[in-house]
Amino acid sequence: MKKYWAVLLLAMAGQSYADVPLQSGDEIQGSWKLEYTKKSANAQDTIKREDTWAFNAGKVTITHIPRDGTYYDQAPVNYEVENGKLKISLLGRSDKFDVFSLVEKDDKTMTLKGKFGDIYHFNKK
């Protein structure tokens, strides 16, 4: 029975997302369309999104954010890469950050994980 649980735990561990350290902000430069979010790596339900995150020279601008049946754009805020993580300043609070880990990235897609485990899946624009 113990062997069964050990095998089960190993199988479940293989399904988790491993973080990939970011080396610099150059890796995420450009415009990324946020396709969906989900509460965790293992969650089945996704939330469709329409935002665009544009990273350029230390600033990120998030546009086309849905709210109450309409859309709005956020003013640009600073971002930086520190200790392999993406830190995005909160609007109006330059001393506070949303922190994201890179889960995977290629030329066309990028997946980030928020500090509470939520997943953000992007496609390159």
Side-chain angles (χ1 to χ4, degrees), residues 8-18 38 41-42 44 103:
L8 181 62
L9 287 173
L10 286 173
M12 288 172 45
Q15 294 176 353
S16 66
Y17 285 86
K38 58 184 186 173
N42 296 326
Q44 297 298 318
V103 176

Side-chain angles (χ1 to χ4, degrees), residues 58-116:
K59 299 271 187 193
V60 60
T61 305
I62 303 174
T63 58
H64 204 68
I65 304 167
R67 184 191 324 166
D68 298 329
T70 186
Y71 299 92
Y72 74 99
D73 297 341
Q74 178 180 298
V77 294
N78 294 330
Y79 77 89
E80 61 186 61
V81 173
E82 183 177 285
N83 297 325
K85 306 231 184 249
L86 173 63
K87 293 175 56 177
I88 298 177
S89 296
L90 297 178
L91 189 61
R93 301 281 313 263
S94 61
D95 60 330
K96 301 284 183 188
F97 299 90
D98 276 331
V99 179
F100 300 90
S101 300
L102 180 64
V103 176
E104 61 183 349
K105 183 187 168 302
D106 59 31
D107 292 341
K108 296 180 182 180
T109 64
M110 173 173 67
T111 303
L112 299 176
K113 180 174 67 174
K115 63 183 170 185
F116 298 113

Side-chain angles (χ1 to χ4, degrees), residues 11-31:
M12 288 172 45
Q15 294 176 353
S16 66
Y17 285 86
D19 296 345
V20 178
L22 281 167
Q23 302 303 314
S24 74
D26 293 341
E27 294 178 71
I28 58 173
Q29 290 293 301
S31 292

